[in-house]
Amino acid sequence: MRGKTESATGGKKHVKMKDIAELLMHALAIETEAVERYAQLADLMEAHNNYETANFFLKMSEIEQLHVDQIADMIKSRKVSSAPLEKYRWSTTPEGPESTDPADLHYLMTPYQALVLALNNEQRAHDFYSSIVTSTKNEAVRRFAAALAEEEEEHVAMVKVWLDKVPKTPEDWDYDDDPPAIQD
Ligand code: ZN
Protein backbone atom coordinates (compact mmCIF):
# COMPACT_ATOMS: atom_id res chain seq x y z
CA MET A 1 0.00 0.00 0.00
CA ARG A 2 1.16 3.49 -0.74
CA GLY A 3 2.05 5.78 2.14
CA LYS A 4 0.10 8.78 1.08
CA THR A 5 -3.60 9.12 1.47
CA GLU A 6 -5.32 10.01 -1.74
CA SER A 7 -8.76 11.39 -1.91
CA ALA A 8 -11.09 9.33 -4.01
CA THR A 9 -12.66 12.37 -5.55
CA GLY A 10 -10.97 14.86 -7.79
CA GLY A 11 -7.60 16.04 -6.69
CA LYS A 12 -8.58 17.13 -3.21
CA LYS A 13 -6.37 15.76 -0.47
CA HIS A 14 -9.04 15.21 2.09
CA VAL A 15 -12.77 15.17 2.05
CA LYS A 16 -14.21 16.17 5.36
CA MET A 17 -17.60 14.63 5.88
CA LYS A 18 -19.66 17.04 7.88
CA ASP A 19 -22.77 14.91 7.93
CA ILE A 20 -24.28 11.65 6.77
CA ALA A 21 -25.84 13.37 3.73
CA GLU A 22 -22.44 14.30 2.40
CA LEU A 23 -21.11 10.81 2.96
CA LEU A 24 -24.13 9.30 1.21
CA MET A 25 -23.62 11.49 -1.85
CA HIS A 26 -19.96 10.51 -2.08
CA ALA A 27 -20.73 6.86 -1.49
CA LEU A 28 -23.39 6.92 -4.20
CA ALA A 29 -20.90 8.37 -6.69
CA ILE A 30 -18.21 5.84 -5.73
CA GLU A 31 -20.49 2.81 -5.92
CA THR A 32 -22.15 3.94 -9.16
CA GLU A 33 -18.75 4.29 -10.77
CA ALA A 34 -17.83 0.79 -9.59
CA VAL A 35 -21.01 -0.69 -11.11
CA GLU A 36 -20.26 0.93 -14.47
CA ARG A 37 -16.61 0.01 -14.50
CA TYR A 38 -17.23 -3.62 -13.61
CA ALA A 39 -19.83 -3.90 -16.37
CA GLN A 40 -17.31 -2.40 -18.75
CA LEU A 41 -14.57 -4.80 -17.67
CA ALA A 42 -17.01 -7.69 -18.10
CA ASP A 43 -17.68 -6.58 -21.69
CA LEU A 44 -13.96 -6.30 -22.32
CA MET A 45 -13.28 -9.80 -21.03
CA GLU A 46 -16.18 -11.16 -23.06
CA ALA A 47 -14.63 -9.61 -26.15
CA HIS A 48 -11.54 -11.69 -25.33
CA ASN A 49 -13.73 -14.78 -24.98
CA ASN A 50 -12.69 -14.93 -21.35
CA TYR A 51 -16.12 -15.75 -19.98
CA GLU A 52 -14.95 -16.82 -16.56
CA THR A 53 -13.39 -13.47 -15.78
CA ALA A 54 -16.29 -11.71 -17.49
CA ASN A 55 -18.65 -13.51 -15.11
CA PHE A 56 -16.56 -12.52 -12.13
CA PHE A 57 -16.79 -8.86 -13.14
CA LEU A 58 -20.53 -9.19 -13.74
CA LYS A 59 -20.90 -10.58 -10.24
CA MET A 60 -18.88 -7.69 -8.81
CA SER A 61 -21.04 -5.27 -10.77
CA GLU A 62 -24.16 -6.81 -9.21
CA ILE A 63 -22.65 -6.64 -5.72
CA GLU A 64 -21.83 -2.96 -6.17
CA GLN A 65 -25.35 -2.38 -7.54
CA LEU A 66 -26.74 -3.65 -4.23
CA HIS A 67 -24.69 -0.94 -2.55
CA VAL A 68 -26.04 1.67 -4.92
CA ASP A 69 -29.63 0.57 -4.20
CA GLN A 70 -29.05 0.59 -0.45
CA ILE A 71 -27.45 4.03 -0.51
CA ALA A 72 -30.12 5.40 -2.86
CA ASP A 73 -32.77 4.17 -0.41
CA MET A 74 -31.01 5.90 2.48
CA ILE A 75 -30.79 9.10 0.47
CA LYS A 76 -34.49 8.91 -0.32
CA SER A 77 -35.60 8.15 3.23
CA ARG A 78 -33.44 10.91 4.64
CA LYS A 79 -34.61 13.33 1.98
CA VAL A 80 -31.03 14.29 1.32
CA SER A 81 -30.83 17.01 -1.25
CA SER A 82 -28.68 15.87 -4.10
CA ALA A 83 -26.07 18.56 -4.10
CA PRO A 84 -23.98 18.52 -7.26
CA LEU A 85 -20.92 16.39 -6.69
CA GLU A 86 -17.96 15.94 -8.91
CA LYS A 87 -18.06 12.48 -10.41
CA TYR A 88 -15.97 9.88 -8.73
CA ARG A 89 -13.58 8.27 -11.17
CA TRP A 90 -11.77 5.04 -11.15
CA SER A 91 -8.08 5.30 -11.73
CA THR A 92 -7.14 3.37 -14.84
CA THR A 93 -3.44 3.28 -14.15
CA PRO A 94 -2.31 1.43 -11.05
CA GLU A 95 0.25 3.99 -9.85
CA GLY A 96 -0.34 7.04 -11.99
CA PRO A 97 -2.55 10.05 -11.53
CA GLU A 98 -6.25 9.63 -11.87
CA SER A 99 -7.50 9.15 -15.34
CA THR A 100 -10.91 10.43 -16.23
CA ASP A 101 -11.53 8.68 -19.52
CA PRO A 102 -13.14 5.23 -19.57
CA ALA A 103 -11.70 4.81 -23.07
CA ASP A 104 -8.34 4.44 -21.35
CA LEU A 105 -9.18 0.79 -20.79
CA HIS A 106 -6.95 -0.87 -23.34
CA TYR A 107 -8.87 -3.19 -25.62
CA LEU A 108 -6.19 -5.87 -25.24
CA MET A 109 -6.13 -5.61 -21.46
CA THR A 110 -5.55 -9.05 -19.94
CA PRO A 111 -7.67 -10.50 -17.13
CA TYR A 112 -4.70 -10.02 -14.83
CA GLN A 113 -4.42 -6.32 -15.68
CA ALA A 114 -8.17 -5.86 -15.38
CA LEU A 115 -8.08 -7.44 -11.94
CA VAL A 116 -5.12 -5.34 -10.81
CA LEU A 117 -7.09 -2.27 -11.87
CA ALA A 118 -10.14 -3.49 -9.94
CA LEU A 119 -8.00 -4.27 -6.90
CA ASN A 120 -6.43 -0.82 -6.98
CA ASN A 121 -9.83 0.87 -7.09
CA GLU A 122 -11.40 -1.33 -4.40
CA GLN A 123 -8.40 -0.45 -2.25
CA ARG A 124 -8.88 3.25 -2.96
CA ALA A 125 -12.55 3.03 -2.03
CA HIS A 126 -11.59 1.23 1.16
CA ASP A 127 -8.91 3.83 2.00
CA PHE A 128 -11.37 6.61 1.30
CA TYR A 129 -14.01 5.26 3.70
CA SER A 130 -11.33 4.41 6.27
CA SER A 131 -9.95 7.94 6.20
CA ILE A 132 -13.44 9.21 6.99
CA VAL A 133 -13.67 6.82 9.94
CA THR A 134 -10.54 8.33 11.44
CA SER A 135 -11.23 11.96 10.58
CA THR A 136 -14.93 12.52 11.23
CA LYS A 137 -16.36 13.79 14.48
CA ASN A 138 -19.88 12.75 13.53
CA GLU A 139 -20.77 9.40 15.06
CA ALA A 140 -23.38 8.43 12.45
CA VAL A 141 -20.93 9.23 9.66
CA ARG A 142 -18.22 7.25 11.40
CA ARG A 143 -20.40 4.17 11.79
CA PHE A 144 -21.65 4.15 8.22
CA ALA A 145 -18.18 4.84 6.80
CA ALA A 146 -16.84 1.94 8.90
CA ALA A 147 -19.50 -0.39 7.48
CA LEU A 148 -18.66 0.68 3.93
CA ALA A 149 -14.92 0.30 4.57
CA GLU A 150 -15.52 -3.22 5.84
CA GLU A 151 -17.45 -4.16 2.72
CA GLU A 152 -14.78 -2.71 0.46
CA GLU A 153 -12.26 -4.80 2.35
CA GLU A 154 -14.31 -7.86 1.40
CA HIS A 155 -14.26 -6.76 -2.24
CA VAL A 156 -10.48 -6.38 -2.08
CA ALA A 157 -10.28 -9.95 -0.77
CA MET A 158 -12.59 -11.26 -3.53
CA VAL A 159 -10.53 -9.65 -6.27
CA LYS A 160 -7.32 -11.00 -4.72
CA VAL A 161 -8.71 -14.56 -4.74
CA TRP A 162 -9.58 -14.22 -8.43
CA LEU A 163 -6.21 -12.63 -9.19
CA ASP A 164 -4.52 -15.79 -7.92
CA LYS A 165 -6.41 -17.81 -10.53
CA VAL A 166 -5.32 -15.96 -13.66
CA PRO A 167 -1.91 -16.04 -15.30
CA LYS A 168 0.33 -13.00 -14.99
CA THR A 169 0.43 -10.69 -17.99
CA PRO A 170 3.08 -11.56 -20.58
CA GLU A 171 5.53 -8.88 -21.74
CA ASP A 172 4.00 -8.63 -25.22
CA TRP A 173 0.41 -8.24 -24.02
CA ASP A 174 -0.31 -5.27 -26.29
CA TYR A 175 1.00 -6.90 -29.45
CA ASP A 176 -1.85 -7.47 -31.87
CA ASP A 177 -1.20 -9.36 -35.06
CA ASP A 178 -4.64 -8.40 -36.32
CA PRO A 179 -5.32 -4.86 -35.09
CA PRO A 180 -8.86 -3.53 -35.25
CA ALA A 181 -9.61 -1.72 -38.50
CA ILE A 182 -11.53 1.07 -36.86
CA GLN A 183 -10.07 2.96 -33.96
CA ASP A 184 -11.38 6.07 -32.41
ZN1 ZN B 1 -16.31 -2.37 -3.84
Side-chain angles (χ1 to χ4, degrees):
M1 215 177 74
R2 279 160 296 162
K4 65 179 189 303
T5 310
E6 261 179 67
S7 158
T9 57
K12 275 179 258 155
K13 274 282 164 222
H14 252 290
V15 184
K16 286 259 185 274
M17 295 293 145
K18 60 179 188 305
D19 55 24
I20 194 87
E22 206 177 331
L23 174 56
L24 285 170
M25 293 314 294
H26 279 274
L28 185 68
I30 290 170
E31 306 301 328
T32 302
E33 171 77 355
V35 169
E36 287 169 9
R37 286 303 175 116
Y38 276 124
Q40 211 175 18
L41 289 173
D43 281 351
L44 201 62
M45 292 301 115
E46 220 175 285
H48 286 291
N49 299 319
N50 190 321
Y51 299 107
E52 270 191 330
T53 309
N55 280 336
F56 172 74
F57 285 134
L58 276 182
K59 201 174 104 193
M60 290 305 294
S61 185
E62 282 165 19
I63 288 170
E64 303 288 9
Q65 183 64 51
L66 294 177
H67 257 166
V68 170
D69 295 345
Q70 182 202 356
I71 293 160
D73 277 353
M74 288 174 75
I75 287 173
K76 229 168 94 185
S77 68
R78 281 159 200 269
K79 298 189 171 62
V80 171
S81 67
S82 38
L85 184 74
E86 47 182 317
K87 200 174 175 347
Y88 174 90
R89 298 286 190 182
W90 266 31
S91 169
T92 50
T93 49
E95 298 300 333
E98 276 182 73
S99 164
T100 54
D101 189 357
D104 284 355
L105 293 181
H106 196 288
Y107 75 103
L108 287 176
M109 180 180 271
T110 65
Y112 189 84
Q113 288 170 317
L115 286 158
V116 167
L117 190 129
L119 182 64
N120 178 45
N121 286 284
E122 293 293 351
Q123 191 65 58
R124 282 174 71 226
H126 171 264
D127 293 351
F128 176 71
Y129 292 133
S130 296
S131 75
I132 294 167
V133 173
T134 51
S135 66
T136 189
K137 291 185 166 60
N138 181 311
E139 180 58 18
V141 169
R142 199 193 60 75
R143 257 183 294 130
F144 188 53
L148 289 167
E150 198 176 306
E151 284 179 40
E152 295 309 334
E153 207 173 330
E154 282 169 29
H155 298 173
V156 167
M158 289 170 78
V159 176
K160 277 184 178 163
V161 166
W162 200 263
L163 203 49
D164 278 344
K165 295 183 187 179
V166 303
K168 283 218 163 61
T169 303
E171 293 266 311
D172 62 347
W173 68 275
D174 58 353
Y175 173 74
D176 190 347
D177 58 3
D178 184 21
I182 301 157
Q183 267 181 312
D184 53 9

